[in-house]
Amino acid sequence: MTKPVSKAKPAPAPVAGHNAVPLKLRVPEPKARPGQPADFSHMTFPAAGATRRPDVSSKSDDMRDLAYGLVRVLDESGTAVGPWAPKIDPEVMKRGLRVMMMCRVYDDRMYRAQRQGKTSFYMKGTGEEAVTAAAALALDDSDMLFPAYRQPGLLFVRNWPMLDMMNQIYSNAGDRLKGRQLPVMYSAKDAGFFSISGNLATQFAQAVGWAMASAISGDTRICATWIGDGSTAEGDFHHALTFASVYKAPVILNITNNQWAISSFQGIAGGGEAPFAARGIGYGLPSLRIDGNDFLAVYAATQWAAERARTNQGATLIEHFTYRMEGHSTSDDPSRYRAADERQKWPLGDPIERLKQHLIKLGHWSEKEHVQQQEDLEKEVKDTQRQAEAIGTLQSGEKPHPSTMFEDVYKEPDQRLRKQRQQFGF
Amino acid sequence: MSSMNMIQAINSAHAVMMEKDPKVVVFGEDVGYFGGVFRATEGLQAKFGINRCFDAPISEGGIVAAAIGMGAYGLRPLIEIQFADYIYPAFDQLTSEAARLRYRSGGEFTAPLTVRTPYGGGIFGGQTHSQSPEALFTHVVGLKVVVPSTPYDAKGLLISSVEDDDPVIFLEPKRLYTGPFEGHSTDGVKTWAGHPAGEVPDGHYNVPLGKANIVREGNAMTVLCYGTMVHVALAATRETGIDAEVVDLRSLVPLDAETIIASVNKTGRCLVVHEATYTSGFGAELAAIVQQECFYNLEAPIDRVCGWDTPYPHVFEWQYFPGPDRVGAAMKKMMEA
Ligand SMILES: Cc1ncc(C[n+]2csc(CCOP(=O)(O)OP(=O)(O)O)c2C)c(N)n1
Ligand SMILES: [Mg+2]
């Protein structure tokens, strides 16, 4: 005998009059597409110096405005103004300028090397140099970094050898990562620089774990991490904020909002109704939105957040408002999805030009020195490139030994890996 | 009929299905205005409107979850995960949710989504743009797993996947997007132009799921393969001169066991080839079926040629890739057994 199957009632029909208006889906769209003039008129910023600087012990609730504003220090004339203007040694600024210029020269040379077929891939960080250089200089060299992939400046600040980085780009015999990783996915443990992942956002939550470990261990070192605007949509972004907030982890959570995630403008990642920084508020994290093209604003905000972290007051979320001046990578063509004159019209300028102007204004720098430094850096990068290429490029020269392919899967290769290595001929 | 590469064929499958069925919606990272990083959805937003083809946040878990919700409403989402290597944030939604929704709701709710994603190596993409994760999904009951090897099959299989009422993982061999590839790293770039399977009907047609394709008939041995490896197996067959029967599985779940068994019973030898890592790869499943069903007709042990059990190393792309030399050597060894 079969049992009767219970029959449910049919779903109710929509109630007439309740939802008389047909629902509509909103898909955010950027202001301009190719063929149209770039339009940044919707972006309004407080003047440099206008934003208050709360005490580092402030609660998230008492500084909500900071997540919606924009901390700016350098004004149009290149003067540092307002409460956020940091006390900073001109030598540190000069160092920052040099690192930013080095990033740009390095990016250009490596990009060109890819175009010449010497490697498979490259990603530039043009326009975002201050986000990296100023933060690294404001931290201690012993602090830990969980970076994203457009940040060679972190390694330059920590005097990591450029030759080592180029060897990674070329996957040559000098590459400490044994040719395993896509170019720019560096790892430099001795520089406190975590292995970069190709899988977006993963580092953000891991950084919180490192910071928790530092706290568990009674250490004094703090941690900083970076994520792209687009990548904030990943679950790992939210995991990071949850853990950082629950455990008051000594970590600085940086969002590099360069307006684009490949072809998607920032509205696709966040809806565009609130700044990315404002996401921290819901987690009770003090959150700042700052001018990411302003070296001094980045420096000051990082110092502020570092002080909080070092004094057991927990994590800070910082949104660096900046602009990706170039394509996403060597595989990308931005003219297919964004207005051609965006770069020219970007309202927050070029971080290198702005710091240069400031230093000149202070009398610590000159056009002549600038030109000279540019030449020196070009020479330095070119010479290093020659050394790297003398070892090898992806297509020629000396490579890591092929049998190394079977190493580091585990601490010791297991029986099947030993067998496969033998089959392979070693 | 038009001459199409695999991208164009996939794009055409989208257009045909979006035209035919207003319930088909397309979304994923960069798929809207831009048309996808591999251009598979080019022109669809302009043609069908932003409600039918749009960009998604970089949130693979969110993309699949939203597709499941849309499926519950009654839509038929056709979504893109930019690289198979980035599908893992969606793993929970795929394996715990999409795969079991029909079962746990007694058939009340279903997840009629198709998840397209480029897989495999050969483009110097390093370990995060080269993986072949098919076995992770064939192991999950409730999911179907499809892998085309030509433009013709890609379009027909994709249409069948979209029309299928169960969730389908549609793995696209990215190295075959613009042309067939036999696996010699030194080969120049070929295009699909002039290839018989590069001639693709413009309209609707099906290549059914669960029907393998014998791409070369032979008597000496059977080579089981799919995706990029179909072309590698054909090259190895030609280069070794061994009269192999090359079977393109086309879909792993459902699997055309009948064709496999008939072929191996005829030839008496079986080699399985896939690009994914060896251990617990889909080849292990195939070898188990063949030994169970064809044991008394086997004249040599079943063998597997696969990716090594390591991540995909950037610089050793071609040492990792199971190319025609490795496949050919295994074929010869099998004939000597
Ligand atoms: C989990 C994951 N999904 C997708 C990708 C592909 N992908 C690489 S970079 C990128 C855009 C990232 O944009 P954003 O986070 O804004 O960083 P930006 O490139 O602008 O620095 C995408 C979608 C990936 N690498 N990992
Ligand atoms: Mg971005």
Side-chain angles (χ1 to χ4, degrees):
Chain A
M1 208 183 86
T2 52
K3 286 197 177 137
V5 175
S6 64
K7 264 233 174 311
K9 283 194 289 184
V15 178
H18 276 201
N19 246 348
V21 183
L23 301 168
K24 276 195 298 205
L25 186 74
R26 187 279 300 258
V27 180
E29 270 290 284
K31 295 271 179 227
R33 288 292 196 185
Q36 297 168 321
D39 178 5
F40 292 114
S41 58
H42 58 292
M43 291 182 181
T44 51
F45 308 113
T51 304
R52 72 191 179 99
R53 183 180 187 278
D55 191 81
V56 292
S57 62
S58 298
K59 295 255 171 291
S60 168
D61 248 9
D62 300 331
M63 48 174 290
R64 287 168 177 244
D65 51 318
L66 273 290
Y68 289 86
L70 196 76
V71 172
R72 306 176 65 193
V73 172
L74 288 171
D75 70 9
E76 307 291 297
S77 74
T79 310
V81 293
W84 284 94
K87 285 184 196 65
I88 178 172
D89 183 341
E91 287 311 309
V92 175
M93 285 192 271
K94 276 162 99 171
R95 177 100 206 284
L97 183 66
R98 185 166 191 282
V99 165
M100 293 199 289
M101 291 169 73
M102 189 186 262
C103 288
R104 206 164 282 187
V105 175
Y106 178 82
D107 273 356
D108 279 338
R109 297 288 314 180
M110 293 298 95
Y111 186 93
R112 232 180 304 160
Q114 192 277 344
R115 286 288 182 257
Q116 292 162 346
K118 292 171 182 170
T119 190
S120 56
F121 179 79
Y122 193 75
M123 304 176 98
K124 288 176 157 188
T126 315
E128 306 171 30
E129 293 90 349
V131 173
T132 289
L137 285 164
L139 292 167
D140 291 347
D141 278 355
S142 57
D143 292 330
M144 185 66 186
L145 313 171
F146 278 71
Y149 44 67
R150 290 186 206 282
Q151 307 190 274
L154 295 177
L155 290 170
F156 293 150
V157 167
R158 295 193 169 182
N159 292 313
W160 194 254
M162 188 189 289
L163 177 61
D164 185 82
M165 296 162 69
M166 286 184 176
N167 289 340
Q168 197 280 329
I169 301 289
Y170 290 139
S171 283
N172 66 19
D175 175 14
R176 287 177 310 100
L177 313 185
K178 306 174 195 179
R180 291 181 187 146
Q181 274 283 54
L182 204 63
V184 313
M185 305 289 165
Y186 311 110
S187 178
K189 190 174 184 189
D190 290 345
F193 182 102
F194 190 67
S195 154
I196 298 177
S197 177
N199 299 65
L200 293 170
T202 51
Q203 75 281 4
F204 219 56
Q206 294 160 354
V208 179
W210 194 98
M212 288 167 64
S214 190
I216 289 169
S217 311
D219 203 333
T220 56
R221 291 173 295 164
I222 63 168
C223 184
T225 183
W226 288 263
I227 195 172
D229 48 305
S231 306
T232 61
E234 291 284 6
D236 279 329
F237 172 78
H238 301 274
H239 303 155
L241 268 57
T242 302
F243 278 67
S245 134
V246 169
Y247 297 106
K248 274 196 183 274
V251 62
I252 306 176
L253 301 165
N254 296 287
I255 302 166
T256 307
N257 178 3
N258 63 6
Q259 313 301 319
W260 291 93
I262 310 185
S263 76
S264 298
F265 86 116
Q266 51 142 317
I268 290 293
E273 309 289 343
F276 292 98
R279 306 198 159 194
I281 294 171
Y283 290 90
L285 293 174
S287 304
L288 306 170
R289 192 163 76 126
I290 72 169
D291 178 352
N293 286 14
D294 177 341
F295 180 91
L296 293 181
V298 177
Y299 189 87
T302 306
Q303 272 190 327
W304 190 89
E307 194 184 331
R308 281 179 47 76
R310 287 191 209 291
T311 52
N312 285 309
Q313 302 191 73
T316 305
L317 183 68
I318 305 177
E319 174 185 349
H320 303 256
F321 207 70
T322 180
Y323 181 69
R324 194 194 81 204
M325 290 186 178
E326 303 264 357
H328 172 71
S329 72
T330 44
S331 315
D332 185 36
D333 173 9
S335 72
R336 297 186 87 129
Y337 52 78
R338 67 182 189 186
D341 58 345
E342 265 200 17
R343 181 174 176 166
Q344 284 73 46
K345 290 199 181 147
W346 173 248
L348 295 174
D350 178 324
I352 294 180
E353 287 306 312
R354 287 174 67 189
L355 184 60
K356 170 190 159 195
Q357 185 193 15
H358 178 60
L359 279 166
I360 291 176
K361 194 138 199 210
L362 291 178
H364 294 300
W365 197 239
S366 67
E367 284 291 350
K368 202 165 146 240
E369 282 171 293
H370 197 81
V371 171
Q372 186 60 49
Q373 176 153 290
Q374 178 72 17
E375 273 173 28
D376 293 348
L377 286 169
E378 276 169 20
K379 183 168 182 311
E380 182 181 336
V381 174
K382 214 186 286 180
D383 288 348
T384 313
Q385 188 179 7
R386 214 168 286 136
Q387 284 176 55
E389 291 179 6
I391 302 172
T393 66
L394 183 61
Q395 307 299 353
S396 67
E398 214 190 322
K399 293 195 183 4
H401 195 277
S403 70
T404 60
M405 190 162 88
F406 297 93
E407 294 169 6
D408 301 323
V409 181
Y410 300 97
K411 185 172 177 189
E412 300 292 342
D414 60 7
Q415 191 269 338
R416 67 184 155 148
L417 280 165
R418 289 199 301 272
K419 188 173 156 199
Q420 289 179 18
R421 188 173 59 200
Q422 260 168 22
Q423 276 175 20
F424 180 58
F426 296 97
Chain B
M1 282 295 218
S2 300
S3 177
M4 294 187 199
N5 66 27
M6 194 183 281
I7 288 286
Q8 292 162 331
I10 288 165
N11 183 272
S12 171
H14 280 79
V16 165
M17 286 313 296
M18 291 174 86
E19 187 82 63
K20 180 164 180 262
D21 183 354
K23 292 186 169 4
V24 174
V25 288
V26 174
F27 61 103
E29 294 157 22
D30 299 291
V31 310
Y33 182 88
F34 186 48
V37 294
F38 290 103
R39 328 244 20 93
T41 55
E42 185 162 28
L44 298 176
Q45 184 177 86
K47 183 154 184 221
F48 296 98
I50 202 163
N51 270 0
R52 300 280 310 281
C53 176
F54 50 89
D55 284 340
I58 304 173
S59 172
E60 293 76 15
I63 291 168
V64 173
I68 292 170
M70 291 179 196
Y73 178 92
L75 298 187
R76 206 166 267 278
L78 167 51
I79 59 181
E80 176 177 303
I81 298 294
Q82 200 162 81
F83 284 87
D85 316 61
Y86 303 138
I87 204 165
Y88 309 120
F91 206 65
D92 191 36
Q93 289 289 343
L94 287 168
T95 60
S96 311
E97 301 299 317
R100 294 189 225 145
L101 187 55
R102 179 188 292 282
Y103 195 78
R104 79 177 193 218
S105 70
E108 261 189 6
F109 289 102
T110 60
L113 43 131
T114 301
V115 184
R116 296 178 36 245
T117 189
Y119 86 96
I123 62 157
F124 272 106
Q127 48 120 13
T128 54
H129 301 86
S130 310
Q131 295 165 33
S132 300
E134 64 271 17
L136 297 177
F137 299 110
T138 58
H139 194 58
V140 176
V141 291
L143 297 178
K144 295 185 174 178
V145 179
V146 176
V147 192
S149 69
T150 65
Y152 179 90
D153 281 1
K155 179 170 175 185
L157 287 167
L158 185 55
I159 289 175
S160 297
S161 300
V162 175
E163 289 174 346
D164 197 283
D165 289 334
D166 287 313
V168 178
I169 310 290
F170 192 87
L171 293 161
E172 300 171 358
K174 67 174 92 71
R175 180 61 213 228
L176 302 183
Y177 271 157
T178 52
F181 176 62
E182 295 190 335
H184 291 295
S185 62
T186 47
D187 283 354
V189 176
K190 286 200 196 114
T191 70
W192 284 107
H195 191 286
E199 285 301 309
V200 178
D202 296 305
H204 179 283
Y205 66 94
N206 292 99
V207 172
L209 309 187
K211 199 86 205 77
N213 184 22
I214 299 175
V215 288
R216 181 190 189 279
E217 284 187 24
N219 291 303
M221 65 187 300
T222 298
V223 182
L224 302 178
C225 50
Y226 46 91
T228 313
M229 290 302 131
V230 172
H231 303 271
V232 172
L234 286 171
T237 301
R238 193 183 63 236
E239 288 162 17
T240 55
I242 294 171
D243 182 28
E245 181 142 299
V246 179
V247 182
D248 176 358
L249 301 179
R250 295 202 287 208
S251 83
L252 311 186
V253 180
L255 182 70
D256 185 356
E258 210 177 301
T259 298
I260 295 169
I261 293 162
S263 176
V264 180
N265 278 337
K266 177 179 81 173
T267 63
R269 290 178 163 87
C270 178
L271 179 70
V272 184
V273 183
H274 59 61
E275 196 181 337
T277 46
Y278 180 90
T279 302
S280 300
F282 193 66
E285 181 65 29
L286 293 170
I289 292 171
V290 169
Q291 91 76 41
Q292 173 92 46
E293 302 291 337
C294 311
F295 185 76
Y296 295 105
N297 291 311
L298 285 176
E299 288 164 42
I302 303 160
D303 200 3
R304 292 184 271 163
V305 178
C306 310
W308 307 115
D309 280 331
T310 76
Y312 222 115
H314 178 245
V315 70
F316 296 125
E317 175 110 323
W318 301 117
Q319 284 77 8
Y320 182 94
F321 186 90
D325 294 346
R326 238 154 90 197
V327 175
M331 289 171 73
K332 281 195 219 150
K333 194 171 141 227
M334 185 169 285
M335 290 314 296
E336 284 155 15

